[in-house]
Amino acid sequence: MKRTDVAAALAAEGPRDSILVKGWVRTRRDQKGFSFLEINDGSCLANIQAVVDEGAGGFDRIADMNTGAAVAVEGELVASPGKGQKWEIKARSVELIGEADAETYPLQKKRHTDEFLRSIAHLRSRTNKYGALFRIRSEAAFAVHDFFHSRGFLNLHSPIITSSDCEGAGEMFRVTTLDLGQPLPKEAAEEDFFGKEAYLTVSGQLSAEVFALSHGKVYTFGPTFRAENSNTARHAAEFWMIEPEIAFADINDNMDLGEDLLKHLVDHVLTRCAADVELFAKWVDTSLMATLSGIMEKPFVRLPYGEAVEILKKSGKTFEYQAEWGTDLQTEHERYLAEEHFKGPVIVYDYPKEIKAFYMRQNDDGRTVAAMDVLVPRIGEIIGGSQREERLDVLKARVEELGLDASCYWWYLELRKFGTAPHAGFGMGFERLLMLLTGVTNIRDVIPFPRTPKHLEF
């Protein structure tokens, strides 16, 4: 018999004579001559109840079907007399597939702390909270591809191993086949696998620019890595980035795309994961629905960096870091603008060139670049991007000004020689999106198996 998942069984339009459900026991309640099994298979938030009487096949093993055990139940799908559930299974047979030791199984019917659940990441996805979170993550990933596919974007699989530092921060993981038990002089890189120093990528942007200048509209969506020794709730060593790039586009097109993408993702998850989002709105962040509604209901505010700094200086707020023209906005500044001043998403643009990357297009004022950040409540920056510098002479001058090795970017510069065109793009941190969608405040809790300093478990 073909197995039916719990979500499909609970959504059935009518009773069924025969149904087979396989999953894990959440609870078991015994009565004289029968037992109630609450079963979940991860397909939805709700459990399905199976009523197993002593005449059912396999009832002799019912005492071993503890919380966490894997079971199969075959029987009739019938209307449930209990409150809060439309259907239940009247079991004809039940099979114990995999036992769970009752004395040592760490997940019981009580609330566990996030810190404890991080220590058992191999089991935490069985809880209501994390089951819901990773369904949302899966659905949001699908929505990313759906958004770009419906708009004619090419999906590019950019390299994970690279020799260039897109962000220029130098916080990259070295990849090598050399014997690290021996001191390695710099010239030893010539003997390495690639014949040069290799690193895990911090961004797919540079690759996306190549294909934008041949295919017009592209995006990458994959893992990126930062060797940043930071143990904060917002940083991880491995995370996923959504990075679109569009040719014949300027900073305004970039802002439009970022706003459209964010609205699409929020709408998709609210539509497809309503029950899961409601769990977070009830138990994690009671302001979650208001935050998400604010993203959907009105256009994003757009203001130049200079105006943002003036708002911060006149706010009367005491910030840990004083806002001044020429300094980057801190998370506290970003959240004030989005949460308190505008009470909704804000796009800040035209940043000072000294605080932005070499590839961002310089504005005519000589002081700023066509960069933009999308700021949202609770998170701060969720999207960062720019119009790229398409003028060869200006880009070369900027590389030299910053003391970068132009030979590492020869191909990037050459793109400006052969059919250069205005183009723009951005990066959206997928994990920050998930924090926005769920109200979760620690990035470790939206990643199935987080990688952070001194932590490489599972």
Side-chain angles (χ1 to χ4, degrees), residues 209-458:
E209 286 192 54
V210 171
F211 275 76
L213 293 175
S214 62
H215 286 70
K217 297 183 293 185
V218 304
Y219 74 101
T220 72
F221 182 19
T224 56
F225 308 86
R226 300 280 173 89
E228 183 178 359
N229 191 16
S230 178
N231 269 304
T232 75
R234 290 164 49 87
H235 294 91
E238 178 183 338
F239 52 96
W240 283 60
M241 289 287 289
I242 305 157
E243 296 180 286
E245 198 77 25
I246 42 179
F248 309 106
D250 61 17
I251 188 66
N252 294 304
D253 299 314
N254 214 27
M255 290 190 281
D256 291 343
L257 183 67
E259 180 171 346
D260 290 347
L261 172 61
L262 190 54
K263 286 178 181 286
H264 174 85
L265 296 176
V266 171
D267 179 64
H268 183 97
V269 169
L270 285 176
T271 301
R272 297 294 298 271
C273 303
D276 290 330
V277 174
E278 286 171 8
L279 179 147
F280 290 94
K282 180 177 181 180
W283 298 105
V284 177
D285 179 5
T286 56
S287 65
L288 179 61
M289 299 309 296
T291 298
L292 298 179
S293 296
I295 291 171
M296 297 297 303
E297 291 172 356
K298 57 186 179 181
F300 293 3
V301 172
R302 302 184 183 188
L303 78 160
Y305 164 87
E307 291 183 22
V309 170
E310 289 304 309
I311 290 172
L312 293 166
K313 291 172 73 172
K314 296 175 181 177
S315 67
K317 293 273 294 186
T318 301
F319 296 109
E320 183 179 355
Y321 299 94
Q322 186 62 38
E324 296 288 350
W325 202 97
T327 61
D328 208 355
L329 298 183
Q330 302 295 318
T331 301
E332 58 180 341
H333 304 144
E334 297 166 346
R335 292 188 59 177
Y336 171 80
L337 292 170
E339 292 174 19
E340 299 184 46
H341 189 83
F342 292 107
K343 294 181 170 56
V346 184
I347 305 180
V348 178
Y349 62 93
D350 287 353
Y351 281 80
K353 69 177 185 178
E354 286 78 15
I355 62 173
K356 290 297 182 179
F358 74 96
Y359 51 75
M360 297 187 177
R361 194 184 200 277
Q362 294 189 46
N363 293 324
D364 294 340
D365 60 13
R367 303 174 69 215
T368 63
V369 290
M372 66 96 178
D373 289 336
V374 179
L375 316 178
V376 292
R378 289 195 309 98
I379 303 299
E381 179 196 334
I382 194 168
I383 292 175
S386 71
Q387 182 176 341
R388 317 309 190 187
E389 184 56 78
E390 85 281 8
R391 299 165 294 185
L392 178 60
D393 57 339
V394 178
L395 184 59
K396 287 177 67 176
R398 185 64 172 149
V399 168
E400 292 172 5
E401 179 185 348
L402 295 175
L404 301 176
D405 184 356
S407 66
C408 293
Y409 302 97
W410 66 269
W411 55 273
Y412 189 72
L413 294 167
E414 198 167 87
L415 287 172
R416 276 70 180 168
K417 290 175 61 178
F418 305 131
T420 189
H423 56 289
F426 60 75
M428 173 189 280
F430 188 52
E431 280 75 22
R432 289 194 181 183
L433 169 70
L434 294 168
M435 292 167 74
L436 173 69
L437 292 170
T438 61
V440 168
T441 57
N442 196 312
I443 195 171
R444 294 167 176 82
D445 297 327
V446 298
I447 300 175
F449 304 104
R451 272 66 176 110
T452 54
K454 308 301 181 185
H455 185 88
L456 187 62
E457 302 298 326
F458 308 103

Side-chain angles (χ1 to χ4, degrees), residues 28 63-64 66-67 99-108:
R28 190 190 83 235
D64 297 321
N66 301 309
T67 298
E99 295 187 41
D101 182 65
E103 294 184 4
T104 58
Y105 186 64
L107 296 175
Q108 298 300 324

